[in-house]
Amino acid sequence: PAAEIRKVAEAVLDVTDTSTVTARAGVQDWASVELPAAWPDALKFSSPLTWMRLFRRMRRGERVRLPDQLIGSDRIPAYVLLEFHGLPNGNYSHSIARGYARSFDHVMLGTLLRARQQLAGSIGPVGDALDIGCGAGGMTRALRAAGVARVTGLDPSPYLLRVAAESLPGVPLHQGVAERLDFADGSQDAVTACFVFHELPPARTLEAFAEIHRVLRPGGCFAFIEPSRHQWQWSGARLFARYGWKGLYFRLLARRVWEPFVAAWHRVDLPVALADAGFELESDTETCPLRVVIARRPAAAS
């Protein structure tokens, strides 16, 4: 039950003051921290043979190999160390993290860029917001542009955090995961996540919802974007009839990349899971390729 998950999470965290949060949250000067090269950094991307090998690898879903002496490797759970999206070594190398940052919005045909901006605009200029799974900082930047006073990014990959830090000077970036938030109770006005929960095992998703509820202030907003079920579950004919060639494009993309937990995520009864964690569902909009959800921690009783 969500209440038990929340109780266990609070006991594990035992956050008592701001200094404890800062010390335990994996805070670094990510723009200047030295990170070791991983095996993809030695690839010759100018060679067609390299691209052929990587393309074949995309559907195999091999495990990530972390370089020796990588800072914060103890903060990365085993389930994260999979080649999500078929990316070579996941996002745990300089070359792949930068390539992902440059190309992802283009691969998504700009749909995710627009959805982030709209979602951030719906949250408005609140005081504190936490962006979970910030990656290279796309949602984090959208929150800043929407007038959020203090935005914090969170991601397990030091390589992505470094990329994000280069374009987000002054924004605190923490290394961590959604189900174990090193932030104080009621410290955030809003929590966002973009393409995070379909990459978590179902049990971790429930823990993450409980943690997000814990760190939100009463009345706080929980807003997130996930891949739609349509491109996985609808037929090509139905997708084309509803969305045209873009529907077929996203169907092919969904079947090309490796997503080990996406089928389980799509089976989650989201309204029930959010209610069990203590949220009120405000909107759940699903088209192709995105599902956009806005929920809220109920305001304190007067």
Side-chain angles (χ1 to χ4, degrees), residues 5-15 24 179-182 211 214:
I5 293 174
R6 192 179 305 116
K7 182 177 180 181
V8 171
E10 290 172 351
V12 170
L13 283 171
D14 192 24
V15 175
R24 299 180 63 193
E179 68 272 22
R180 192 169 60 249
L181 298 176
D182 289 320
E211 275 288 86
R214 180 184 65 80

mmCIF file with all atom_site columns, all heavy atoms in Angstrom, residues 5-15 24 179-182 211 214:
data_model
loop_
_atom_site.group_PDB
_atom_site.id
_atom_site.type_symbol
_atom_site.label_atom_id
_atom_site.label_alt_id
_atom_site.label_comp_id
_atom_site.label_asym_id
_atom_site.label_entity_id
_atom_site.label_seq_id
_atom_site.pdbx_PDB_ins_code
_atom_site.Cartn_x
_atom_site.Cartn_y
_atom_site.Cartn_z
_atom_site.occupancy
_atom_site.B_iso_or_equiv
_atom_site.pdbx_formal_charge
_atom_site.auth_seq_id
_atom_site.auth_comp_id
_atom_site.auth_asym_id
_atom_site.auth_atom_id
_atom_site.pdbx_PDB_model_num
ATOM 1   N N   . ILE A 1 5   ? 4.573  2.201  1.855  1.00 0.00 ? 5   ILE A N   1
ATOM 2   C CA  . ILE A 1 5   ? 5.742  2.583  1.060  1.00 0.00 ? 5   ILE A CA  1
ATOM 3   C C   . ILE A 1 5   ? 6.270  3.935  1.519  1.00 0.00 ? 5   ILE A C   1
ATOM 4   O O   . ILE A 1 5   ? 7.470  4.138  1.678  1.00 0.00 ? 5   ILE A O   1
ATOM 5   C CB  . ILE A 1 5   ? 5.375  2.630  -0.439 1.00 0.00 ? 5   ILE A CB  1
ATOM 6   C CG1 . ILE A 1 5   ? 5.068  1.217  -0.934 1.00 0.00 ? 5   ILE A CG1 1
ATOM 7   C CG2 . ILE A 1 5   ? 6.504  3.241  -1.261 1.00 0.00 ? 5   ILE A CG2 1
ATOM 8   C CD1 . ILE A 1 5   ? 4.550  1.171  -2.345 1.00 0.00 ? 5   ILE A CD1 1
ATOM 9   N N   . ARG A 1 6   ? 5.341  4.882  1.745  1.00 0.00 ? 6   ARG A N   1
ATOM 10  C CA  . ARG A 1 6   ? 5.738  6.214  2.184  1.00 0.00 ? 6   ARG A CA  1
ATOM 11  C C   . ARG A 1 6   ? 6.440  6.153  3.547  1.00 0.00 ? 6   ARG A C   1
ATOM 12  O O   . ARG A 1 6   ? 7.448  6.828  3.788  1.00 0.00 ? 6   ARG A O   1
ATOM 13  C CB  . ARG A 1 6   ? 4.507  7.117  2.251  1.00 0.00 ? 6   ARG A CB  1
ATOM 14  C CG  . ARG A 1 6   ? 4.809  8.585  2.419  1.00 0.00 ? 6   ARG A CG  1
ATOM 15  C CD  . ARG A 1 6   ? 3.521  9.411  2.440  1.00 0.00 ? 6   ARG A CD  1
ATOM 16  N NE  . ARG A 1 6   ? 2.720  9.156  1.260  1.00 0.00 ? 6   ARG A NE  1
ATOM 17  C CZ  . ARG A 1 6   ? 1.512  8.599  1.282  1.00 0.00 ? 6   ARG A CZ  1
ATOM 18  N NH1 . ARG A 1 6   ? 0.975  8.240  2.427  1.00 0.00 ? 6   ARG A NH1 1
ATOM 19  N NH2 . ARG A 1 6   ? 0.847  8.404  0.178  1.00 0.00 ? 6   ARG A NH2 1
ATOM 20  N N   . LYS A 1 7   ? 5.909  5.343  4.454  1.00 0.00 ? 7   LYS A N   1
ATOM 21  C CA  . LYS A 1 7   ? 6.492  5.228  5.788  1.00 0.00 ? 7   LYS A CA  1
ATOM 22  C C   . LYS A 1 7   ? 7.907  4.673  5.724  1.00 0.00 ? 7   LYS A C   1
ATOM 23  O O   . LYS A 1 7   ? 8.821  5.174  6.387  1.00 0.00 ? 7   LYS A O   1
ATOM 24  C CB  . LYS A 1 7   ? 5.612  4.323  6.661  1.00 0.00 ? 7   LYS A CB  1
ATOM 25  C CG  . LYS A 1 7   ? 6.101  4.180  8.097  1.00 0.00 ? 7   LYS A CG  1
ATOM 26  C CD  . LYS A 1 7   ? 5.129  3.332  8.905  1.00 0.00 ? 7   LYS A CD  1
ATOM 27  C CE  . LYS A 1 7   ? 5.606  3.177  10.337 1.00 0.00 ? 7   LYS A CE  1
ATOM 28  N NZ  . LYS A 1 7   ? 4.685  2.328  11.118 1.00 0.00 ? 7   LYS A NZ  1
ATOM 29  N N   . VAL A 1 8   ? 8.102  3.643  4.900  1.00 0.00 ? 8   VAL A N   1
ATOM 30  C CA  . VAL A 1 8   ? 9.436  3.058  4.750  1.00 0.00 ? 8   VAL A CA  1
ATOM 31  C C   . VAL A 1 8   ? 10.393 4.069  4.137  1.00 0.00 ? 8   VAL A C   1
ATOM 32  O O   . VAL A 1 8   ? 11.534 4.229  4.582  1.00 0.00 ? 8   VAL A O   1
ATOM 33  C CB  . VAL A 1 8   ? 9.369  1.789  3.883  1.00 0.00 ? 8   VAL A CB  1
ATOM 34  C CG1 . VAL A 1 8   ? 10.765 1.299  3.542  1.00 0.00 ? 8   VAL A CG1 1
ATOM 35  C CG2 . VAL A 1 8   ? 8.602  0.695  4.618  1.00 0.00 ? 8   VAL A CG2 1
ATOM 36  N N   . ALA A 1 9   ? 9.918  4.785  3.103  1.00 0.00 ? 9   ALA A N   1
ATOM 37  C CA  . ALA A 1 9   ? 10.774 5.771  2.444  1.00 0.00 ? 9   ALA A CA  1
ATOM 38  C C   . ALA A 1 9   ? 11.222 6.858  3.413  1.00 0.00 ? 9   ALA A C   1
ATOM 39  O O   . ALA A 1 9   ? 12.382 7.260  3.440  1.00 0.00 ? 9   ALA A O   1
ATOM 40  C CB  . ALA A 1 9   ? 10.038 6.399  1.260  1.00 0.00 ? 9   ALA A CB  1
ATOM 41  N N   . GLU A 1 10  ? 10.296 7.332  4.247  1.00 0.00 ? 10  GLU A N   1
ATOM 42  C CA  . GLU A 1 10  ? 10.644 8.378  5.201  1.00 0.00 ? 10  GLU A CA  1
ATOM 43  C C   . GLU A 1 10  ? 11.641 7.865  6.241  1.00 0.00 ? 10  GLU A C   1
ATOM 44  O O   . GLU A 1 10  ? 12.553 8.568  6.659  1.00 0.00 ? 10  GLU A O   1
ATOM 45  C CB  . GLU A 1 10  ? 9.373  8.891  5.878  1.00 0.00 ? 10  GLU A CB  1
ATOM 46  C CG  . GLU A 1 10  ? 8.483  9.697  4.929  1.00 0.00 ? 10  GLU A CG  1
ATOM 47  C CD  . GLU A 1 10  ? 7.140  10.052 5.534  1.00 0.00 ? 10  GLU A CD  1
ATOM 48  O OE1 . GLU A 1 10  ? 6.845  9.517  6.635  1.00 0.00 ? 10  GLU A OE1 1
ATOM 49  O OE2 . GLU A 1 10  ? 6.401  10.831 4.927  1.00 0.00 ? 10  GLU A OE2 1
ATOM 50  N N   . ALA A 1 11  ? 11.466 6.608  6.643  1.00 0.00 ? 11  ALA A N   1
ATOM 51  C CA  . ALA A 1 11  ? 12.393 6.039  7.629  1.00 0.00 ? 11  ALA A CA  1
ATOM 52  C C   . ALA A 1 11  ? 13.797 5.908  7.056  1.00 0.00 ? 11  ALA A C   1
ATOM 53  O O   . ALA A 1 11  ? 14.790 6.146  7.734  1.00 0.00 ? 11  ALA A O   1
ATOM 54  C CB  . ALA A 1 11  ? 11.883 4.674  8.095  1.00 0.00 ? 11  ALA A CB  1
ATOM 55  N N   . VAL A 1 12  ? 13.883 5.518  5.778  1.00 0.00 ? 12  VAL A N   1
ATOM 56  C CA  . VAL A 1 12  ? 15.188 5.357  5.149  1.00 0.00 ? 12  VAL A CA  1
ATOM 57  C C   . VAL A 1 12  ? 15.881 6.703  4.982  1.00 0.00 ? 12  VAL A C   1
ATOM 58  O O   . VAL A 1 12  ? 17.075 6.846  5.226  1.00 0.00 ? 12  VAL A O   1
ATOM 59  C CB  . VAL A 1 12  ? 15.038 4.660  3.778  1.00 0.00 ? 12  VAL A CB  1
ATOM 60  C CG1 . VAL A 1 12  ? 16.348 4.699  3.002  1.00 0.00 ? 12  VAL A CG1 1
ATOM 61  C CG2 . VAL A 1 12  ? 14.601 3.220  3.983  1.00 0.00 ? 12  VAL A CG2 1
ATOM 62  N N   . LEU A 1 13  ? 15.110 7.712  4.571  1.00 0.00 ? 13  LEU A N   1
ATOM 63  C CA  . LEU A 1 13  ? 15.719 9.014  4.319  1.00 0.00 ? 13  LEU A CA  1
ATOM 64  C C   . LEU A 1 13  ? 16.138 9.702  5.609  1.00 0.00 ? 13  LEU A C   1
ATOM 65  O O   . LEU A 1 13  ? 17.244 10.220 5.741  1.00 0.00 ? 13  LEU A O   1
ATOM 66  C CB  . LEU A 1 13  ? 14.728 9.909  3.567  1.00 0.00 ? 13  LEU A CB  1
ATOM 67  C CG  . LEU A 1 13  ? 14.586 9.591  2.082  1.00 0.00 ? 13  LEU A CG  1
ATOM 68  C CD1 . LEU A 1 13  ? 13.442 10.376 1.496  1.00 0.00 ? 13  LEU A CD1 1
ATOM 69  C CD2 . LEU A 1 13  ? 15.867 9.937  1.340  1.00 0.00 ? 13  LEU A CD2 1
ATOM 70  N N   . ASP A 1 14  ? 15.204 9.753  6.589  1.00 0.00 ? 14  ASP A N   1
ATOM 71  C CA  . ASP A 1 14  ? 15.493 10.368 7.878  1.00 0.00 ? 14  ASP A CA  1
ATOM 72  C C   . ASP A 1 14  ? 16.143 11.738 7.687  1.00 0.00 ? 14  ASP A C   1
ATOM 73  O O   . ASP A 1 14  ? 17.178 12.056 8.271  1.00 0.00 ? 14  ASP A O   1
ATOM 74  C CB  . ASP A 1 14  ? 16.401 9.465  8.718  1.00 0.00 ? 14  ASP A CB  1
ATOM 75  C CG  . ASP A 1 14  ? 16.485 9.955  10.175 1.00 0.00 ? 14  ASP A CG  1
ATOM 76  O OD1 . ASP A 1 14  ? 15.545 10.651 10.610 1.00 0.00 ? 14  ASP A OD1 1
ATOM 77  O OD2 . ASP A 1 14  ? 17.483 9.637  10.845 1.00 0.00 ? 14  ASP A OD2 1
ATOM 78  N N   . VAL A 1 15  ? 15.535 12.587 6.834  1.00 0.00 ? 15  VAL A N   1
ATOM 79  C CA  . VAL A 1 15  ? 16.075 13.913 6.568  1.00 0.00 ? 15  VAL A CA  1
ATOM 80  C C   . VAL A 1 15  ? 15.742 14.818 7.745  1.00 0.00 ? 15  VAL A C   1
ATOM 81  O O   . VAL A 1 15  ? 14.591 14.971 8.114  1.00 0.00 ? 15  VAL A O   1
ATOM 82  C CB  . VAL A 1 15  ? 15.471 14.482 5.266  1.00 0.00 ? 15  VAL A CB  1
ATOM 83  C CG1 . VAL A 1 15  ? 15.932 15.914 5.047  1.00 0.00 ? 15  VAL A CG1 1
ATOM 84  C CG2 . VAL A 1 15  ? 15.867 13.621 4.086  1.00 0.00 ? 15  VAL A CG2 1
ATOM 85  N N   . ARG A 1 24  ? 23.869 14.527 1.082  1.00 0.00 ? 24  ARG A N   1
ATOM 86  C CA  . ARG A 1 24  ? 23.495 13.204 0.607  1.00 0.00 ? 24  ARG A CA  1
ATOM 87  C C   . ARG A 1 24  ? 22.929 13.195 -0.796 1.00 0.00 ? 24  ARG A C   1
ATOM 88  O O   . ARG A 1 24  ? 22.654 12.144 -1.345 1.00 0.00 ? 24  ARG A O   1
ATOM 89  C CB  . ARG A 1 24  ? 22.468 12.595 1.572  1.00 0.00 ? 24  ARG A CB  1
ATOM 90  C CG  . ARG A 1 24  ? 22.999 12.421 2.990  1.00 0.00 ? 24  ARG A CG  1
ATOM 91  C CD  . ARG A 1 24  ? 21.951 11.816 3.872  1.00 0.00 ? 24  ARG A CD  1
ATOM 92  N NE  . ARG A 1 24  ? 21.580 10.486 3.419  1.00 0.00 ? 24  ARG A NE  1
ATOM 93  C CZ  . ARG A 1 24  ? 20.515 9.821  3.850  1.00 0.00 ? 24  ARG A CZ  1
ATOM 94  N NH1 . ARG A 1 24  ? 19.716 10.364 4.727  1.00 0.00 ? 24  ARG A NH1 1
ATOM 95  N NH2 . ARG A 1 24  ? 20.248 8.619  3.395  1.00 0.00 ? 24  ARG A NH2 1
ATOM 96  N N   . GLU A 1 179 ? 12.688 7.238  -6.756 1.00 0.00 ? 179 GLU A N   1
ATOM 97  C CA  . GLU A 1 179 ? 12.151 6.505  -5.606 1.00 0.00 ? 179 GLU A CA  1
ATOM 98  C C   . GLU A 1 179 ? 12.940 6.730  -4.328 1.00 0.00 ? 179 GLU A C   1
ATOM 99  O O   . GLU A 1 179 ? 12.597 6.178  -3.276 1.00 0.00 ? 179 GLU A O   1
ATOM 100 C CB  . GLU A 1 179 ? 12.089 5.001  -5.922 1.00 0.00 ? 179 GLU A CB  1
ATOM 101 C CG  . GLU A 1 179 ? 13.435 4.318  -6.066 1.00 0.00 ? 179 GLU A CG  1
ATOM 102 C CD  . GLU A 1 179 ? 13.988 4.366  -7.477 1.00 0.00 ? 179 GLU A CD  1
ATOM 103 O OE1 . GLU A 1 179 ? 13.581 5.253  -8.256 1.00 0.00 ? 179 GLU A OE1 1
ATOM 104 O OE2 . GLU A 1 179 ? 14.844 3.510  -7.799 1.00 0.00 ? 179 GLU A OE2 1
ATOM 105 N N   . ARG A 1 180 ? 13.974 7.557  -4.390 1.00 0.00 ? 180 ARG A N   1
ATOM 106 C CA  . ARG A 1 180 ? 14.780 7.828  -3.202 1.00 0.00 ? 180 ARG A CA  1
ATOM 107 C C   . ARG A 1 180 ? 15.231 9.293  -3.274 1.00 0.00 ? 180 ARG A C   1
ATOM 108 O O   . ARG A 1 180 ? 16.340 9.598  -3.678 1.00 0.00 ? 180 ARG A O   1
ATOM 109 C CB  . ARG A 1 180 ? 15.976 6.865  -3.152 1.00 0.00 ? 180 ARG A CB  1
ATOM 110 C CG  . ARG A 1 180 ? 16.708 6.864  -1.828 1.00 0.00 ? 180 ARG A CG  1
ATOM 111 C CD  . ARG A 1 180 ? 17.700 5.710  -1.734 1.00 0.00 ? 180 ARG A CD  1
ATOM 112 N NE  . ARG A 1 180 ? 18.727 5.744  -2.762 1.00 0.00 ? 180 ARG A NE  1
ATOM 113 C CZ  . ARG A 1 180 ? 18.825 4.863  -3.759 1.00 0.00 ? 180 ARG A CZ  1
ATOM 114 N NH1 . ARG A 1 180 ? 17.943 3.885  -3.882 1.00 0.00 ? 180 ARG A NH1 1
ATOM 115 N NH2 . ARG A 1 180 ? 19.800 4.951  -4.661 1.00 0.00 ? 180 ARG A NH2 1
ATOM 116 N N   . LEU A 1 181 ? 14.343 10.179 -2.879 1.00 0.00 ? 181 LEU A N   1
ATOM 117 C CA  . LEU A 1 181 ? 14.586 11.612 -3.012 1.00 0.00 ? 181 LEU A CA  1
ATOM 118 C C   . LEU A 1 181 ? 15.196 12.159 -1.732 1.00 0.00 ? 181 LEU A C   1
ATOM 119 O O   . LEU A 1 181 ? 14.588 12.078 -0.651 1.00 0.00 ? 181 LEU A O   1
ATOM 120 C CB  . LEU A 1 181 ? 13.273 12.346 -3.318 1.00 0.00 ? 181 LEU A CB  1
ATOM 121 C CG  . LEU A 1 181 ? 12.576 11.955 -4.620 1.00 0.00 ? 181 LEU A CG  1
ATOM 122 C CD1 . LEU A 1 181 ? 11.245 12.696 -4.744 1.00 0.00 ? 181 LEU A CD1 1
ATOM 123 C CD2 . LEU A 1 181 ? 13.467 12.247 -5.832 1.00 0.00 ? 181 LEU A CD2 1
ATOM 124 N N   . ASP A 1 182 ? 16.382 12.722 -1.841 1.00 0.00 ? 182 ASP A N   1
ATOM 125 C CA  . ASP A 1 182 ? 17.057 13.308 -0.680 1.00 0.00 ? 182 ASP A CA  1
ATOM 126 C C   . ASP A 1 182 ? 16.649 14.770 -0.519 1.00 0.00 ? 182 ASP A C   1
ATOM 127 O O   . ASP A 1 182 ? 17.488 15.677 -0.534 1.00 0.00 ? 182 ASP A O   1
ATOM 128 C CB  . ASP A 1 182 ? 18.577 13.202 -0.844 1.00 0.00 ? 182 ASP A CB  1
ATOM 129 C CG  . ASP A 1 182 ? 19.062 11.768 -0.701 1.00 0.00 ? 182 ASP A CG  1
ATOM 130 O OD1 . ASP A 1 182 ? 18.540 11.061 0.175  1.00 0.00 ? 182 ASP A OD1 1
ATOM 131 O OD2 . ASP A 1 182 ? 19.947 11.367 -1.465 1.00 0.00 ? 182 ASP A OD2 1
ATOM 132 N N   . GLU A 1 211 ? 7.230  9.044  -2.741 1.00 0.00 ? 211 GLU A N   1
ATOM 133 C CA  . GLU A 1 211 ? 8.278  10.015 -2.445 1.00 0.00 ? 211 GLU A CA  1
ATOM 134 C C   . GLU A 1 211 ? 7.923  11.407 -2.965 1.00 0.00 ? 211 GLU A C   1
ATOM 135 O O   . GLU A 1 211 ? 8.159  12.419 -2.306 1.00 0.00 ? 211 GLU A O   1
ATOM 136 C CB  . GLU A 1 211 ? 9.601  9.559  -3.064 1.00 0.00 ? 211 GLU A CB  1
ATOM 137 C CG  . GLU A 1 211 ? 10.378 8.593  -2.208 1.00 0.00 ? 211 GLU A CG  1
ATOM 138 C CD  . GLU A 1 211 ? 10.973 9.311  -1.004 1.00 0.00 ? 211 GLU A CD  1
ATOM 139 O OE1 . GLU A 1 211 ? 10.255 9.439  0.009  1.00 0.00 ? 211 GLU A OE1 1
ATOM 140 O OE2 . GLU A 1 211 ? 12.131 9.762  -1.069 1.00 0.00 ? 211 GLU A OE2 1
ATOM 141 N N   . ARG A 1 214 ? 5.527  13.000 -0.769 1.00 0.00 ? 214 ARG A N   1
ATOM 142 C CA  . ARG A 1 214 ? 6.173  13.437 0.476  1.00 0.00 ? 214 ARG A CA  1
ATOM 143 C C   . ARG A 1 214 ? 6.857  14.786 0.325  1.00 0.00 ? 214 ARG A C   1
ATOM 144 O O   . ARG A 1 214 ? 6.747  15.657 1.189  1.00 0.00 ? 214 ARG A O   1
ATOM 145 C CB  . ARG A 1 214 ? 7.194  12.387 0.930  1.00 0.00 ? 214 ARG A CB  1
ATOM 146 C CG  . ARG A 1 214 ? 7.936  12.750 2.217  1.00 0.00 ? 214 ARG A CG  1
ATOM 147 C CD  . ARG A 1 214 ? 9.005  11.729 2.559  1.00 0.00 ? 214 ARG A CD  1
ATOM 148 N NE  . ARG A 1 214 ? 10.072 11.690 1.571  1.00 0.00 ? 214 ARG A NE  1
ATOM 149 C CZ  . ARG A 1 214 ? 11.076 12.578 1.526  1.00 0.00 ? 214 ARG A CZ  1
ATOM 150 N NH1 . ARG A 1 214 ? 11.132 13.587 2.371  1.00 0.00 ? 214 ARG A NH1 1
ATOM 151 N NH2 . ARG A 1 214 ? 12.021 12.452 0.608  1.00 0.00 ? 214 ARG A NH2 1
#
